[in-house]
Amino acid sequence: MIRVILTDIEGTTSSISFVHEVLFPYSAKHMAEFVREGAADSTEIREQLDAVAHTSGVAREDIDELVEVLDTWIREDRKETPLKALQGMLWEQGYQQGAFRGHIYDDAAEYLQRWHDRGLRLFVYSSGSVKAQKLIFGFSEAGDLTPFFSGYFDTRIGGKKESTSYSNIIDELGVEPRTVLFLSDVEAELKAAEDAGMRTVWLVREGDLPDTKRAVATDFAGVDRFLQQG
């Protein structure tokens, strides 16, 4: 019996276009100024710049080069943890200033509340930082959805296409793998979760449905039907 739902964000609870057409351009436009202004005053920003320097091999004192590395990672949609952390801080600024609100599909907002009210435990696993995850749900078009969630995981637990990441999540949750349902729009992530023993539903919100033996849904109402079937 499913007791825990672990959900991806991009393409699952939220549109891919919101991330790529709103969040990424905002971070690309403001990252350089954000880093330069915060490097002297923010311990958190300095720690992430240390990590950028370590990963890229660029000298820590060369802020211009570190900014260039970050700009390149944004363009390439790299899943580097320090980039995601800095983007999360920057997006928090954007949300708080009202520059945008988090996109959540109407069906996702509805069923997240339904599942929470039924007693299911809800968690997020996304390549975006935990801060970014909390922001998209906390400042969503549907209001603050964070009370529905019991916790969040990002790439610090491991890469989303690695089965060990899902095993680590299971260990953190302290549950049997088959009681966890993972929702994602990426087949490789679903396979990794299945290899760790989780059950899965493939969200295909646009385009033709794939020819697959996996459970597939076009929205969260379809996921709910899967849950009702046990």
Side-chain angles (χ1 to χ4, degrees), residues 18-220:
F18 172 71
V19 176
H20 288 270
E21 296 175 12
V22 177
L23 293 184
F24 282 1
Y26 185 87
S27 65
K29 180 178 180 180
H30 296 284
M31 183 63 77
E33 179 184 8
F34 180 74
V35 166
R36 289 192 175 99
E37 289 184 354
D41 303 322
S42 170
T43 300
E44 194 174 6
I45 290 176
R46 288 198 298 271
E47 288 175 350
Q48 299 308 322
L49 290 177
D50 290 345
V52 173
H54 176 76
T55 300
S56 66
V58 170
R60 173 61 179 83
E61 63 273 12
D62 194 338
I63 295 294
D64 289 340
E65 281 298 316
L66 291 175
V67 166
E68 182 58 37
V69 169
L70 290 166
D71 286 344
T72 299
W73 286 354
I74 291 170
R75 289 194 302 272
E76 295 176 351
D77 190 16
R78 293 273 291 272
K79 310 302 183 185
E80 300 290 346
T81 298
L83 169 64
K84 295 303 179 182
L86 288 167
Q87 284 177 320
M89 295 179 224
L90 181 52
W91 290 332
E92 180 175 23
Q93 171 184 291
Y95 282 112
Q96 291 178 340
Q97 293 176 351
F100 42 77
R101 298 193 70 80
H103 174 267
I104 303 293
Y105 288 111
D106 290 342
D107 59 273
E110 176 184 351
Y111 279 94
L112 288 170
Q113 179 167 2
R114 286 194 188 191
W115 295 336
H116 171 268
D117 292 347
R118 277 188 216 158
L120 290 165
R121 298 168 64 203
L122 308 180
F123 294 84
V124 179
Y125 180 31
S126 173
S127 57
S129 67
V130 166
K131 178 185 284 289
Q133 296 171 29
K134 291 180 177 179
L135 289 169
I136 196 170
F137 289 111
F139 289 87
S140 87
E141 296 165 348
D144 183 3
L145 305 182
T146 56
F148 303 148
F149 292 100
S150 297
Y152 306 82
F153 299 96
D154 59 20
T155 53
R156 287 174 295 184
I157 202 81
K160 293 188 70 185
K161 297 178 181 178
E162 301 169 9
S163 63
T164 53
S165 304
Y166 299 88
S167 297
N168 291 338
I169 290 174
I170 290 165
D171 290 342
E172 289 253 349
L173 298 180
V175 298
E176 292 297 320
R178 297 298 290 174
T179 66
V180 181
L181 178 66
F182 176 56
L183 311 178
S184 176
D185 66 320
V186 178
E187 187 175 19
E189 295 176 4
L190 299 168
K191 182 180 184 306
E194 291 162 1
D195 288 346
M198 292 182 184
R199 299 174 71 182
T200 65
V201 173
W202 188 351
L203 267 294
V204 182
R205 289 190 173 273
E206 298 179 3
D208 297 332
L209 296 181
D211 182 13
T212 179
K213 294 181 179 179
R214 288 192 172 90
V216 176
T218 59
D219 56 22
F220 274 28

